[in-house]
Amino acid sequence: MAEILVLVDHVDGEVKKVTLELLTLANRLGEASAVWVGAGYDGAKDKLAEYGAQKVYVGADEELASYVVAPKAALLAQLVQEKSPAAVLVAATGEGKEVAGRLAVKIGSGVLTDVVDVADGFVAEHSIFGGGTIAHAKVTTGTPVIAVRPNAVAAEAAPATPAEEQVTVALSDTDKGTKIVEKVVQEKGERPDLTEAAIVVSGGRGVGNAENFKIIEGLADSLGAAVGASRAATDAGWYPHQFQVGQTGKTVSPQLYIAVGISGAIQHRAGMQTSKTIIAINKDSEAPIFELVDFGVVGDLFQVAPQLTEEITKRK
Amino acid sequence: MNIVVLVKQVPDTESPRKLKSEDSTLDRAAADGVINELDEYAIEEGLRIKEAQGGEVTVVTLGPGKATESIRKALAMGADKAVHVLDDALAGSDALQTSYAIAQVLGRTGFDLVILGSESTDARTGVLAAMLAERLGVPQVSLANKVEIEGSSIKAQRITDYGFDRVEATLPAVVSVVEKINEPRYPSFKGIMAAKKKPVETLGVADAGIDAGQVGLANAATAVVDFAEAPPRAQGQIVSDEGDGGTKIADFLASKKFV
């Protein structure tokens, strides 16, 4: 089986769920080889083995993680040269897409980003124009470089005993062009990451103010969900910008999306339309969000949402 | 300071967007064209840097004739001049080729700073800034929500999934911006009038130093295999809250095994 490189997405050694999804996908298409960059590998190796990494290339030199994007692309380009993999998979996050872009230029390959599935022959599926069109595309030149959207593929445990190979890459001055001088991790408490969460509860204009977002958080916590917000809510300063779901924010594709007090403007829909199950609470029965829902309640969110939180808590 | 802002004309998200059945490229006639939203933030940032540091803001766009609408908007906001690469040879270019073509244009204009939106609302690939930095061999200061320039050094905040990174580089550099970075100004009447007198250079690919054999649909490194409208979502159930709306949702969630 052909080897497929999977760039591991991690924060200080904590492997992101999307990496496990990519390993599962890679093993469906060939043999998954994880590519580790930076510190913390020892704490992560069991996780990579559990989800089927057949091999791990360990680039443990901390310098690789000290500069923006370029060193990761340099390491992957070197591995593509040496190992001739069938494809390279990365997470379609802001950074993952950038690694994919630089790598594609380095190795002269086509790149596909924001992919929701990959079939045999590396035919990639895209959900475009805010979910309105499904397109299939392939790379026609070079080793396919494919950035896959988090939550698009279900991760399956498939324990393996990966071979480990230490790898080094000599960084050029260009690779060291943008230095990371400080990493600022913003407190997200116990909630899952927005782009990775199985359930997302989002609040919009109808929530009315920052204080009322406690209602959204309470509902989210009852379900173990992430909290999102519409652009109206983040622009108003009611909730931090990094939680914005939509065209100019994050794209989410959870199993369950609950839109509370969100009308469903196209800007918002573009970021959540591919959620598997959608629920909305809105007092306006004409709100466009209701065109998307599996279940909708026309009513006052200040009555409905707390009651829902209470019901969920009661039924646990 | 020589500041180049990249601008893309995209189909309005509010209008019907589709691909053309004959070649799977964007059907530009089907939708109204607008300036890519994030590019307005890029223009604003370019103008603010110019206002603080002096210099000139040049708008560069690749695209069909309709792209002049976006150029006019950028000039009306305050950009000084524009370069429009207008050539059918570019039609159907993918991200890899687009980055090549723009890098060629930038080689011609020169730059201290290239500023662009972190992605476009049509293709949403989010790769162009990284590709340009790679091709040009200059620092990548991307996904920035804050940029400070002092002499030839640039400091920025780069948004990440966990928060942000503080990053540093030296000019020249490629900077991509996110919406949080600023509040784009509206063109004033004076700006709109002044824009009419500003120089817009229109170039074919050969004039811009772009090899026609490396761009366009036929030479793309990716190809659309097929496409179709997404199947419509099944009609959902919508109920009015009769004091039991929350309970009804909980029942629905239970039926789907979410609780």
Side-chain angles (χ1 to χ4, degrees):
Chain A
M1 289 290 271
E3 181 173 13
I4 294 171
L5 301 182
V6 171
L7 177 63
V8 177
D9 188 358
H10 69 97
V11 179
D12 298 330
E14 192 191 328
V15 179
K16 309 284 280 196
K17 187 170 126 239
V18 63
T19 300
L20 312 179
E21 296 164 7
L22 295 188
L23 290 172
T24 301
L25 180 60
N27 275 329
R28 207 177 287 162
L29 299 161
E31 281 187 0
S33 291
V35 180
W36 180 271
V37 180
Y41 172 63
D42 282 347
K45 61 196 296 182
D46 290 350
K47 197 82 171 176
L48 298 176
E50 186 188 345
Y51 283 85
Q54 312 291 319
K55 200 167 188 183
V56 185
Y57 297 109
V58 184
D61 184 350
E62 289 195 36
E63 195 186 30
L64 291 171
S66 306
Y67 304 94
V68 172
V69 175
K72 289 175 181 157
L75 182 66
L76 286 171
Q78 182 176 307
L79 285 169
V80 169
Q81 302 285 332
E82 288 173 5
K83 313 292 177 187
S84 303
V88 181
L89 303 183
V90 301
T93 56
E95 166 143 342
K97 291 194 280 191
E98 294 186 332
V99 173
R102 285 193 91 113
L103 174 64
V105 171
K106 275 183 191 293
I107 63 176
S109 286
V111 58
L112 298 167
T113 66
D114 214 19
V115 162
V116 296
D117 200 6
V118 183
D120 284 347
F122 300 102
V123 174
E125 182 169 307
H126 294 271
S127 170
I128 60 173
F129 300 148
T133 300
I134 304 289
H136 294 97
K138 63 181 182 192
V139 167
T140 55
T141 305
T143 307
V145 178
I146 302 176
V148 182
R149 197 186 279 180
N151 260 330
V153 178
E156 289 160 25
T161 312
E164 285 174 20
E165 187 177 326
Q166 302 294 321
V167 288
T168 55
V169 60
L171 297 181
S172 68
D173 287 348
T174 308
D175 294 330
K176 298 186 200 175
T178 311
K179 187 167 178 50
I180 299 168
V181 291
E182 188 190 2
K183 263 186 161 182
V184 179
V185 179
Q186 286 175 332
E187 212 40 64
K188 62 178 171 63
E190 296 300 301
R191 293 191 192 104
D193 274 4
L194 182 55
T195 49
E196 303 211 319
I199 304 177
V200 174
V201 180
S202 286
R205 193 186 301 274
V207 176
N209 59 44
E211 178 69 15
N212 289 343
F213 253 83
K214 288 210 176 86
I215 296 169
I216 306 299
E217 292 181 329
L219 176 54
D221 291 342
S222 74
L223 288 160
V227 174
S230 72
R231 183 167 175 177
T234 58
D235 276 357
W238 302 341
Y239 218 67
H241 181 254
Q242 73 261 31
F243 296 99
Q244 187 198 315
V245 172
Q247 185 163 267
T248 54
K250 300 239 160 71
T251 299
V252 299
S253 197
Q255 295 298 318
L256 173 63
Y257 189 85
I258 305 183
V260 184
I262 291 176
S263 68
I266 189 78
Q267 142 75 237
H268 188 73
R269 292 162 59 152
M272 49 65 73
Q273 200 152 359
T274 54
S275 302
K276 313 297 180 291
T277 298
I278 299 173
I279 289 176
I281 302 167
N282 200 301
K283 65 183 180 195
D284 175 11
S285 64
E286 303 290 314
I289 192 81
F290 286 124
E291 294 164 20
L292 296 180
V293 298
D294 296 283
F295 194 84
V297 171
V298 179
D300 182 352
L301 74 90
F302 299 102
Q303 306 295 325
V304 178
Q307 185 182 64
L308 174 56
T309 306
E310 196 186 318
E311 277 295 321
I312 292 164
T313 310
K314 212 191 298 175
R315 293 179 197 208
K316 267 189 186 161
Chain B
M1 186 159 318
N2 183 358
I3 302 162
V4 176
V5 178
L6 304 181
V7 163
K8 185 180 187 187
Q9 175 94 350
V10 296
D12 189 346
T13 308
E14 303 280 353
S15 63
R17 294 181 296 175
K18 53 184 190 176
L19 300 177
K20 286 189 288 189
S21 53
E22 57 272 28
D23 63 2
S24 303
T25 61
L26 183 64
D27 187 347
R28 292 179 192 274
D32 298 331
V34 293
I35 190 168
N36 178 48
E37 185 184 345
L38 284 170
D39 297 351
E40 294 188 36
Y41 296 80
I43 296 163
E44 177 64 34
E45 200 60 23
L47 295 173
R48 288 184 189 194
I49 292 168
K50 174 193 150 176
E51 284 155 8
Q53 312 274 336
E56 211 174 33
V57 174
T58 305
V59 174
V60 168
T61 197
L62 266 52
K66 268 173 119 180
T68 51
E69 296 163 12
S70 290
I71 291 173
R72 270 200 294 275
K73 172 138 198 193
L75 294 176
M77 284 172 73
D80 298 287
K81 58 189 171 61
V83 176
H84 182 183
V85 184
L86 169 64
D87 198 314
D88 289 343
L90 291 169
S93 296
D94 66 10
L96 194 67
Q97 298 169 302
T98 302
S99 70
Y100 156 74
I102 292 175
Q104 293 301 105
V105 178
L106 291 168
R108 203 171 164 279
T109 60
F111 63 91
D112 297 306
L113 267 179
V114 178
I115 311 180
L116 67 158
S118 60
E119 65 179 23
S120 64
T121 54
D122 54 354
R124 299 200 73 180
T125 59
V127 297
L128 190 60
M131 284 182 160
L132 283 174
E134 178 69 34
R135 286 194 188 275
L136 298 164
V138 301
Q140 168 184 353
V141 182
S142 54
L143 298 169
N145 68 3
K146 195 173 179 190
V147 170
E148 291 168 59
I149 290 172
E150 223 183 274
S152 66
S153 84
I154 176 166
K155 293 181 182 178
Q157 278 187 15
R158 165 181 167 79
I159 58 149
T160 64
D161 283 343
Y162 50 80
F164 61 89
D165 287 343
R166 289 187 213 281
V167 304
E168 289 179 7
T170 53
L171 302 183
V174 174
V175 174
S176 82
V177 302
V178 299
E179 166 215 317
K180 193 66 181 170
I181 194 164
N182 57 41
E183 194 59 51
R185 68 194 67 184
Y186 287 103
S188 64
F189 179 70
K190 201 174 139 207
I192 292 166
M193 295 312 287
K196 295 182 176 173
K197 297 199 184 80
K198 290 178 177 174
V200 178
E201 191 181 11
T202 305
L203 303 174
V205 289
D207 311 317
I210 299 164
D211 173 3
Q214 289 196 49
V215 294
L217 187 64
N219 304 304
T222 56
V224 175
V225 177
D226 59 44
F227 67 91
E229 269 187 45
R233 296 186 77 97
Q235 178 74 49
Q237 189 189 354
I238 295 166
V239 300
S240 285
D241 179 30
E242 308 287 348
D244 59 351
T247 309
K248 280 182 176 154
I249 297 175
D251 291 343
F252 177 81
L253 291 177
S255 76
K256 297 282 181 186
K257 309 253 187 291
F258 283 112
V259 288

